[in-house]
Amino acid sequence: MKCRILHENKGRMRVHLHLKRMSLREADVVSAVLLRNSFIDEAKVYDRTCDCIIKYSGDREKVIEALSRLALTGEVMDSVPEDPASELNREYQEKLVMKVLLHLARKLFLPDPLHCAYASVRALKYIWSGLRCLRRRQLHVEVLDALSIGVSIARCDFSTASSVMFLLGIGELLEEWTHKKSVDDLAKSMALNVDRVWLETPEGEVLVPVDQIKEGDLIHVRAGGLIPLDGIVERGGASVNQASLTGEGVPVSKGAGSMVYAGTVVEEGDFFFKPTALSGQGRYDRVVKMIEESEQLKSGVESKASRLADVLVPYSLGGTALAYLLTRNVNRALSLLMVDFSCALKLSMPLAVLSAMREAGRHHITVKGGKFMEAIAEADTIVFDKTGTLTRACPTVVGVEAFNGTDKDEMLRTAACLEEHYPHSIANAVTRRAIELGLKHDEMHEELEYVVAHGISGRIGDTKVVIGSYHFVFEDEGCTVPEGEKERFDSLPLQYSHLYMAMGGVLSAVILIADPLREEAREVIEELHELGIKNCVMMTGDSERTAGAIAEEVGVDEYHAEVLPEDKAEFIRQKKAEGHKVIMTGDGINDSPALSEADCGIAISDGAAIAREIADVTIAAEDLRELVKLRRLSTLLMKRINSNYRFVMGFNGGLMALGFFGVLQPTVTALLHNTSTIGISIKSMTDLEP
């Protein structure tokens, strides 16, 4: 693509793309394609001017080359998923700008008679709303708005009435924008992201786009796969985790004739099913729609602002009446009435939350609603899953300790034969190591059984073989350590996770698994402590010895070893019952119950689909420091909101006092009140961090 450099300095350039016009979609594609280059840190594209600001690190020539390769072909456009957030933001930005411009145009250019008529007609909506409130015997903020506007119209103060209605309209628009953005972030994080499925045809299985599937087609889903559509199982069988729909972490067995639902995940096995509902029509889609229509995304502070505005109405009305009774001066009474707390409260709070969510998004943090940032700011306990969260989720086999006279290579071969059937990171590590050493592990087992979160049991010939955790092998299965080898068993290195394998009830091998800690893990724990988190907890299915060694290395306050998925959820329930606010951070299927139980669940972006769907916040996998950033932003958001509260109450209270004593006239109190509302709203839109 042809382009011209308009301006540049070190690490930054502004270029103009030679296009006649650019759509918002094309701007998103250009930005996404440029960001695929590791040396480009930021690419912001302006569709109206066809300009692009690029921040980069490294060689300038590489940026020039990337721009020259850029092309908006059909293939490139299809490679970038559509982002409805851009259109949503553009829609509301244009509504906001248009509302401001029309208000200014009416004040500057509309003749007074027409301006008065227009304001009077618009006032009917607010007056009617206030009357309906009174009919329900409620003194809510609608009554105060109706009185302020109605009295201004009655006094022929059309300018003040217009200003009040303008600010109320801006507040409604911003509240709607905040809610829709929360819903959009939620829908994006819940998106199934299944573009293609395996369709059975007479010629065999073929990969086809999911939107081409028709009712009656036969779709094949394997272990670890996400079920893309609602349907009925035709043949095969599997264990399906339905936590994304039911919140229940225990897998459900599905066989021929069973109903399966879009958005659920196959943990074990595989099956063929016929869809009964096509894309957009299934139970999963109905759940998303239900959430979209819910008001539960609104943060507590936003709800508190609305409630406080309502609570203050009787006091405002009482103050107005008292001022008139004491002074017998209509102007003094009206000076109090013109000060409407609701405008500032209802305007600044949604703006502050929207700004914080936008700022979090710039750091690759997706927050599904303002209420979750509030929960993060108030939390005093954070629970970490170990594998994939505190560690890199890329375990590797570093050694095999053979027992009972067995051969190391033969034991690794046997372990790989058992483990290759299960999509688990440790199972993959065992299989991968056997392949690296050239150990062929042909099928030689019978009666294979997988026990979730424990291990595998099977038979090789007449010998029973079990492989898994210490709890499973020694406690559940009752296996023993060979005589004379107890001392060597006790001296196994603690820095590694241990995978135990026993044959015929006697330990035959211990496979040593290195699960490297994230380099930043200890630093993150320390910074979270500094930011007010009192209790950092690690929970893992590893043995007590391994968990203890890792806990000491990472610096958590407490740890729990050999826990099951339900144990994590129960721990969080207990902490909440004790009055603690709890954050859960995890990435796996087994973390789903705990993520849904916590006040705020945080998932790693490259973790299991279920974890991302259930979690309230998603952070990128590259750096755990985003947790620190999220805590800091959430804390700053609450500080800003509390500061807004103090300012609104103090400033408007001062205006009421000055109006009561006759220092300020009604028009002046209205002007100062409206000016302060705009000022605090603009401040709420600024970044929380410099």
Side-chain angles (χ1 to χ4, degrees):
M1 180 182 292
K2 290 184 179 180
C3 59
R4 183 175 78 256
I5 298 176
L6 301 176
H7 176 266
E8 68 175 311
N9 49 35
K10 188 175 181 181
R12 183 184 184 277
M13 68 170 63
R14 185 185 187 104
V15 300
H16 177 73
L17 307 174
H18 283 247
L19 295 170
K20 288 184 179 179
R21 63 179 62 87
M22 177 183 282
S23 67
L24 197 59
R25 165 71 177 151
E26 288 172 333
D28 288 341
V29 171
V30 170
S31 177
V33 170
L34 288 174
L35 287 172
R36 288 174 182 170
N37 299 289
S38 59
F39 48 85
I40 294 181
D41 302 321
E42 187 179 328
K44 192 168 185 179
V45 182
Y46 300 90
D47 58 294
R48 290 194 175 97
T49 61
C50 297
D51 288 352
C52 176
I53 295 177
I54 299 171
K55 293 182 181 179
Y56 62 93
S57 52
D59 192 353
R60 173 183 180 274
E61 296 305 317
K62 289 184 178 179
V63 179
I64 302 297
E65 185 182 347
L67 286 167
S68 65
R69 291 198 310 267
L70 190 63
L72 294 175
T73 62
E75 184 180 350
V76 172
M77 296 290 288
D78 291 340
S79 70
V80 178
E82 290 194 31
D83 184 9
S86 298
E87 294 182 10
L88 178 71
N89 289 335
R90 169 60 59 81
E91 176 190 351
Y92 278 92
Q93 285 168 3
E94 289 178 348
K95 283 183 178 180
L96 200 59
V97 170
M98 188 59 65
K99 204 171 189 69
V100 172
L101 291 177
L102 287 174
H103 179 71
L104 291 174
R106 284 193 296 268
K107 294 195 76 167
L108 293 173
F109 305 115
L110 203 63
D112 284 345
L114 289 178
H115 182 265
C116 296
Y118 179 80
S120 300
V121 171
R122 281 193 66 207
L124 294 175
K125 166 190 168 185
Y126 295 97
I127 293 169
W128 175 246
S129 181
L131 290 173
R132 280 193 308 172
C133 212
L134 287 174
R135 282 178 59 190
R136 296 194 299 266
R137 297 183 179 181
Q138 295 174 335
L139 275 180
H140 287 175
V141 75
E142 289 85 355
V143 175
L144 192 60
D145 293 337
L147 268 175
S148 300
I149 295 166
V151 170
S152 296
I153 295 289
R155 298 178 70 242
C156 297
D157 188 357
F158 297 101
S159 178
T160 298
S162 294
S163 296
V164 172
M165 289 187 286
F166 167 68
L167 287 171
L168 289 173
I170 292 287
E172 291 168 4
L173 187 64
L174 289 170
E175 189 171 358
E176 182 184 334
W177 186 4
T178 306
H179 180 71
K180 285 197 174 182
K181 186 181 186 309
S182 298
V183 170
D184 179 68
D185 287 340
L186 172 62
K188 186 162 57 177
S189 64
M190 289 184 73
L192 297 183
N193 294 322
V194 179
D195 300 322
R196 296 170 180 264
V197 295
W198 287 102
L199 175 67
E200 187 178 64
T201 67
E203 294 77 28
E205 292 184 20
V206 293
L207 202 58
V208 300
V210 70
D211 55 11
Q212 293 183 12
I213 294 297
K214 305 181 295 294
E215 288 190 28
D217 286 344
L218 206 58
I219 300 172
H220 190 191
V221 184
R222 298 176 175 82
L226 196 68
I227 298 174
L229 303 164
D230 290 3
I232 298 175
V233 177
E234 284 291 306
R235 66 176 188 269
S239 178
V240 177
N241 194 310
Q242 299 186 150
S244 58
L245 290 181
T246 66
E248 180 184 12
V250 179
V252 178
S253 180
K254 300 288 184 179
S258 298
M259 190 74 190
V260 291
Y261 301 103
T264 58
V265 176
V266 178
E267 283 197 3
E268 303 172 48
D270 68 303
F271 58 78
F272 291 83
F273 78 97
K274 286 185 177 180
T276 57
L278 302 183
S279 184
Q281 303 172 359
R283 183 177 173 186
Y284 187 87
D285 302 287
R286 293 197 297 272
V287 170
V288 173
K289 184 174 177 59
M290 178 187 70
I291 293 171
E292 288 178 354
E293 296 170 352
S294 167
E295 288 297 318
Q296 298 307 308
L297 294 173
K298 190 182 289 187
S299 70
V301 289
E302 290 176 88
S303 301
K304 180 183 174 184
S306 298
R307 290 195 302 270
L308 182 59
D310 289 335
V311 167
L312 291 173
V313 170
Y315 295 98
S316 295
L317 293 175
T320 302
L322 183 64
Y324 179 73
L325 290 173
L326 293 177
T327 65
R328 297 294 176 178
N329 187 309
V330 174
N331 277 344
R332 293 192 183 190
L334 289 177
S335 294
L336 272 70
L337 188 61
M338 289 297 109
V339 181
D340 182 359
F341 287 92
S342 68
C343 283
L345 289 173
K346 287 187 172 181
L347 205 58
S348 62
M349 301 312 169
L351 269 176
V353 172
L354 182 67
S355 176
M357 290 171 64
R358 181 201 66 217
E359 193 170 348
R362 291 208 302 266
H363 296 284
H364 312 291
I365 301 168
T366 300
V367 184
K368 294 180 181 178
K371 62 183 289 188
F372 305 118
M373 293 193 79
E374 184 179 1
I376 291 166
E378 295 173 354
D380 57 9
T381 301
I382 183 167
V383 179
F384 291 94
D385 170 56
K386 180 183 76 69
T387 305
T389 306
L390 291 175
T391 66
R392 286 288 180 187
C394 53
T396 55
V397 175
V398 295
V400 178
E401 292 291 333
F403 289 82
N404 203 27
T406 58
D407 178 71
K408 291 182 180 182
D409 287 350
E410 188 60 32
M411 291 301 97
L412 183 59
R413 188 200 313 275
T414 303
C417 179
L418 297 171
E419 294 279 11
E420 67 177 346
H421 298 278
Y422 300 100
H424 186 276
S425 57
I426 290 180
N428 294 338
V430 172
T431 307
R432 186 169 59 248
R433 184 58 178 163
I435 293 172
E436 290 171 357
L437 295 177
L439 302 174
K440 293 183 179 179
H441 44 276
D442 298 330
E443 299 288 345
M444 53 185 178
H445 53 71
E446 302 171 5
E447 302 176 16
L448 206 60
E449 179 186 3
Y450 177 60
V451 183
V452 177
H454 284 76
I456 302 169
S457 173
R459 302 192 75 84
I460 297 178
D462 295 328
T463 305
K464 182 177 181 179
V465 182
V466 294
I467 183 170
S469 66
Y470 182 94
H471 173 78
F472 174 62
V473 172
F474 292 104
E475 296 178 9
D476 290 353
E477 294 294 328
C479 299
T480 59
V481 178
E483 288 187 19
E485 298 188 73
K486 185 70 168 65
E487 185 177 344
R488 186 159 69 92
F489 176 79
D490 291 337
S491 63
L492 289 170
L494 297 180
Q495 67 267 35
Y496 302 124
S497 297
H498 300 155
L499 184 66
Y500 304 93
M501 186 168 71
M503 304 179 71
V506 180
L507 180 69
S508 57
V510 178
I511 300 173
L512 306 178
I513 309 288
D515 194 10
L517 279 175
R518 292 175 180 266
E519 299 82 3
E520 73 276 12
R522 188 176 185 88
E523 178 187 338
V524 166
I525 298 295
E526 291 173 354
E527 290 191 35
L528 287 174
H529 279 138
E530 291 173 5
L531 290 172
I533 298 289
K534 297 176 182 177
N535 193 21
C536 294
V537 184
M538 184 187 79
M539 305 194 81
T540 176
D542 286 345
S543 68
E544 174 70 27
R545 294 191 305 172
T546 303
I550 293 172
E552 184 177 355
E553 185 177 351
V554 78
V556 293
D557 300 292
E558 65 176 286
Y559 69 92
H560 298 268
E562 300 180 22
V563 295
L564 299 176
E566 53 268 30
D567 297 330
K568 297 178 184 178
E570 180 58 31
F571 175 83
I572 291 173
R573 273 193 293 271
Q574 290 176 0
K575 286 293 181 184
K576 288 172 67 177
E578 294 169 7
H580 297 283
K581 283 273 188 177
V582 185
I583 300 170
M584 171 67 195
T585 309
D587 74 322
I589 290 172
N590 60 339
D591 298 319
S592 301
L595 287 169
S596 60
E597 190 66 45
D599 293 291
C600 180
I602 302 176
I604 308 298
S605 62
D606 63 355
I610 281 182
R612 297 196 305 273
E613 288 159 14
I614 288 178
D616 309 307
V617 176
T618 304
I619 63 173
E622 290 79 16
D623 197 337
L624 211 55
R625 292 185 187 89
E626 287 177 6
L627 282 174
V628 177
K629 177 67 70 176
L630 181 58
R631 169 72 173 192
R632 190 173 287 121
L633 287 176
S634 300
T635 304
L636 289 172
L637 171 62
M638 296 309 297
K639 285 183 178 177
R640 172 170 287 179
I641 285 172
N642 290 330
S643 172
N644 286 354
Y645 272 124
R646 289 192 297 271
F647 176 81
V648 169
M649 302 304 292
F651 187 82
N652 288 336
L655 289 180
M656 294 178 80
L658 292 172
F660 177 83
F661 289 110
V663 177
L664 298 178
Q665 294 299 306
T667 52
V668 178
T669 58
L671 175 65
L672 290 175
H673 160 67
N674 292 338
T675 304
S676 70
T677 299
I678 293 171
I680 196 170
S681 299
I682 292 172
K683 179 191 172 187
S684 295
M685 294 173 67
T686 59
D687 285 347
L688 292 163
E689 286 192 324

